[in-house]
Amino acid sequence: MPSWAANFEYDTVPLDPPGYDAGFPADEVWPSNPARGNYYCETSMLYHPLVCAMAAKNWHGCPPIYMAIGSKERIVDGAKYVAQQVAIQGVPTLWDEYELMPHNWPMGFPNHALSEKCYHSWAKACSYFADGGNIQTHGTFTALDSQVRELEVTKLTTMSTEEVGRLMRCKQSSIRPFTGQTPVAKYHL
């Protein structure tokens, strides 16, 4: 997704894990035998719904979800797409976006005002879910100054299902299996 490259300089997630470097020490676990292009699964499975939420077409029957994301996370585009699709399909979705925050910012900056707000919202969502009440889809964007504005969760992104699928297929086709001899193509969206 575009945010993977666009937010690189702001986020805490590296471009690729160290195990993809040609000089990474090989052992009986990595690189895998047979070689594959991802730590977690065989490359052809990367965009299976059980591996990548963006590949899921049907969210009916899913329990309510809560998503908290920083606007400078590398995964923000994919998260917006997933939350939007889930909400469009009628699953109660709580979306909290925080201005300029990188991946896992509440853990990295636990005393920041936006971290405290995130933890509070997260706990509140857990309470709503546990109580089993009538949960309504709701989205917010919290600015650095803690001002909050409402977001329409069903309109978080303009990326179509076709565009997301095209980007996923394009990236998947560029992935070479990692053998430990040469660096692997950048596999992330």
Side-chain angles (χ1 to χ4, degrees):
M1 299 295 110
S3 63
W4 187 257
N7 289 344
F8 174 71
E9 66 182 297
Y10 308 108
D11 206 352
T12 58
V13 177
L15 187 57
D16 280 314
Y20 288 119
D21 292 338
F24 191 81
D27 61 20
E28 64 278 356
V29 176
W30 188 255
S32 62
N33 185 11
R36 63 181 189 246
N38 186 276
Y39 281 135
Y40 305 110
C41 67
E42 198 277 319
T43 306
S44 69
M45 292 297 294
L46 279 176
Y47 302 111
H48 186 282
L50 293 177
V51 176
C52 179
M54 290 185 302
K57 305 244 186 287
N58 185 346
W59 290 95
H60 294 95
C62 177
I65 66 164
Y66 172 73
M67 296 177 84
I69 190 117
S71 70
K72 288 299 181 182
E73 290 197 44
R74 297 183 76 191
I75 61 171
V76 69
D77 289 341
K80 284 180 177 181
Y81 176 78
V82 169
Q84 179 174 293
Q85 292 306 306
V86 171
I88 286 171
Q89 292 182 34
V91 175
T93 305
L94 304 178
W95 172 269
D96 287 330
E97 185 173 348
Y98 296 86
E99 184 176 31
L100 299 177
M101 294 295 108
H103 192 66
N104 288 338
W105 86 94
M107 291 72 144
F109 311 111
N111 297 320
H112 192 282
L114 296 188
S115 298
E116 292 174 7
K117 181 182 184 315
C118 177
Y119 280 129
H120 176 77
S121 295
W122 193 348
K124 192 174 175 182
C126 290
S127 293
Y128 286 156
F129 297 163
D131 291 343
N134 185 18
I135 300 164
Q136 300 295 313
T137 293
H138 183 255
T140 63
F141 180 91
T142 304
L144 279 176
D145 64 3
S146 296
Q147 295 296 311
V148 178
R149 67 178 162 87
E150 303 293 311
L151 292 176
E152 178 58 52
V153 181
T154 60
K155 296 179 181 173
L156 291 174
T157 181
T158 59
M159 289 193 309
S160 68
T161 300
E162 293 75 23
E163 180 181 6
V164 169
R166 183 187 60 76
L167 289 169
M168 291 188 332
R169 286 187 303 279
C170 180
K171 183 52 76 174
Q172 185 177 23
S173 70
S174 73
I175 298 170
R176 296 185 322 257
F178 181 69
T179 63
Q181 304 303 311
T182 58
V184 71
K186 304 308 178 198
Y187 70 92
H188 295 323
L189 289 176

